[in-house]
Amino acid sequence: MVSTDTITLPELAHPNAAPPLDDTRDDRRMLRVAAAVVRDLSTPRASVYWPDLLISTGVGYTALAGAISFDTVSLALASGLVAILALYRAASFIHELSHLRKGALPGFRFAWNALIGIPLMIPSFLYEGVHTQHHARTRYGTAEDPEYLSLALMKPWSLPLFVMSAALAPLALIVRFGVLTPMGVAIPPLRKIVQERCSALSINPAYRRSAPHGAFRRQWQLQEACACLWALMLAASVVMIGTRPLLTYLAVHSGLTVLNQLRTLVAHLWENDGEVMSVTEQYLDSVNVPPPNWLAPIWAPLGLRYHALHHLLPSLPYHSLGTAHRRIMAQIVEPSAYRKANHSGMLPLIARIARGTASER
């Protein structure tokens, strides 16, 4: 696992105590309040995680089976939509896995990989050790951040390309695991290229992943081998059971990947040009879409609607983020940076980023 200088907030006895922060760009009161009001919310609850994962997975695969088997087009499409939403929610637990402390939820990582990671060809090694670099204090928004592009500073065509390229992800994953993995066993130089450039769920094309070590290396190899076998089985299924199951699987997979890419597009404002940012600046470049928006839990499940808050408190489990947000809102006294990261919905955010791409620089 990669060790990073992940942002942490000070443990304070009182919200008005002076924090040991040197950056004058930070809203110190906001950071004090955030650190002080969530001390009882940091433990992940198995009674929430397990039912959520199992129900989402069960609904998703049942709906996928319906999309494959229904002859009525409307029923097949409706089942496909349910499958996209349910499997998208289940797949989003990969984000939680990247933040879970070792031993916090015994067996959960294995179960997620067996139920979702391998069948969707997104085993957790693709994200673990990568996502934490996005939270690193001196990496966020820089060229070393695997999950950051200055999208708002790019050309207008970059936004539709960013979203629609995700539709090809399922085919790319079949090639990654079904072709490049076995070829890499025989060709070591190719294996190194695949490990560096094709082994991370990142959006920064310049990102290069370092080689794994120790226990994580063994997890990586096992997960990759299982994903390789699954990719080969998918390819062989065309001969065994025809094209409809595979095409339906690919369509559902593409749907949830595009939905996740849209969520990623509005998770940040993408306005940093590569400079190191303060904690508050990182927070303000990130996005909360709190209630009363009722669609946000669908396109940003598992607390991802509180993405800015997550950047303040990255180790807080998803089921605690809503409570944390309400507590901070109740404690914050204006003027404060906290409310400035709260936005009304996806469409206004897309419009803001699109306006940024259209601006002359």
Side-chain angles (χ1 to χ4, degrees):
M1 216 42 105
V2 178
S3 177
T4 63
D5 50 338
T6 302
I7 297 170
T8 56
L9 296 177
E11 290 295 331
L12 302 172
H14 191 277
N16 291 320
L21 299 173
D22 296 326
D23 200 324
T24 57
R25 296 171 294 173
D26 274 317
D27 182 336
R28 298 189 177 192
R29 176 169 175 78
M30 177 184 70
L31 301 182
R32 285 196 295 263
V33 170
V37 303
V38 299
R39 290 175 179 150
D40 60 330
L41 300 177
S42 62
T43 302
R45 294 163 52 192
S47 61
V48 175
Y49 274 75
W50 281 104
D52 198 340
L53 173 63
L54 295 176
I55 292 171
S56 298
T57 301
V59 171
Y61 286 138
T62 300
L64 176 60
I68 293 172
S69 60
F70 285 134
D71 292 326
T72 304
V73 173
S74 59
L75 287 177
L77 291 175
S79 292
L81 177 59
V82 173
I84 288 171
L85 296 178
L87 292 176
Y88 171 49
R89 182 178 183 87
S92 296
F93 275 100
I94 195 173
H95 179 258
E96 292 296 305
L97 290 178
S98 70
H99 289 286
L100 280 176
R101 298 184 304 275
K102 185 177 180 180
L105 289 174
F108 192 81
R109 178 174 284 99
F110 176 84
W112 183 87
N113 276 293
L115 294 171
I116 296 294
I118 302 305
L120 294 183
M121 296 176 293
I122 50 170
S124 61
F125 82 82
L126 293 176
Y127 210 51
E128 294 184 273
V130 175
H131 179 64
T132 49
Q133 297 179 48
H134 176 56
H135 285 275
R137 167 65 178 84
T138 57
R139 288 196 187 204
Y140 176 91
T142 70
E144 296 182 346
D145 186 342
E147 296 181 44
Y148 199 93
L149 287 174
S150 300
L151 291 170
L153 308 181
M154 294 183 177
K155 299 297 183 181
W157 52 261
S158 63
L159 297 189
L161 178 63
F162 176 78
V163 174
M164 297 314 300
S165 62
L168 299 176
L171 290 174
L173 288 168
I174 290 177
V175 173
R176 160 63 177 89
F177 289 109
V179 179
L180 296 182
T181 292
M183 288 181 62
V185 174
I187 310 172
L190 176 62
R191 172 65 182 172
K192 186 174 187 297
I193 293 173
V194 171
Q195 170 251 301
E196 290 180 347
R197 304 187 183 189
C198 306
S199 298
L201 295 177
S202 62
I203 63 172
N204 181 356
Y207 177 70
R208 299 292 180 266
R209 189 165 192 187
S210 57
H213 300 284
F216 184 59
R217 181 173 181 269
R218 292 188 292 273
Q219 292 176 28
W220 178 322
Q221 291 174 335
L222 177 60
Q223 292 174 20
E224 186 171 19
C226 292
C228 175
L229 290 174
W230 178 258
L232 293 174
M233 289 172 59
L234 286 175
S237 71
V238 175
V239 176
M240 302 295 292
I241 57 176
T243 59
R244 180 171 176 175
L246 178 60
L247 292 177
T248 305
Y249 164 89
L250 291 175
V252 167
H253 200 329
S254 291
L256 70 90
T257 307
V258 169
L259 181 56
N260 181 65
Q261 196 79 330
L262 279 169
R263 194 272 313 166
T264 300
L265 176 62
V266 298
H268 298 284
L269 299 180
W270 313 106
E271 295 175 347
N272 191 46
D273 59 0
E275 297 296 320
V276 175
M277 306 171 74
S278 72
V279 176
T280 301
E281 287 170 336
Q282 293 179 32
Y283 170 79
L284 291 174
D285 191 52
S286 305
V287 168
N288 291 330
V289 184
N293 188 301
W294 61 272
L295 282 174
I298 297 175
W299 58 261
L302 304 187
L304 290 171
R305 68 185 304 173
Y306 298 108
H307 198 69
L309 175 56
H310 171 66
H311 272 266
L312 283 186
L313 303 164
S315 62
L316 208 63
Y318 78 95
H319 54 70
S320 296
L321 288 169
T323 301
H325 173 75
R326 291 189 293 272
R327 288 182 182 181
I328 295 171
M329 288 288 286
Q331 293 263 351
I332 284 293
V333 176
E334 294 293 357
S336 171
Y338 189 79
R339 287 181 171 84
K340 295 179 182 178
N342 295 334
H343 299 269
S344 60
M346 178 185 283
L347 293 180
L349 285 163
I350 292 176
R352 172 173 174 161
I353 297 168
R355 286 196 298 270
T357 66
S359 300
E360 293 186 5
R361 283 176 286 276

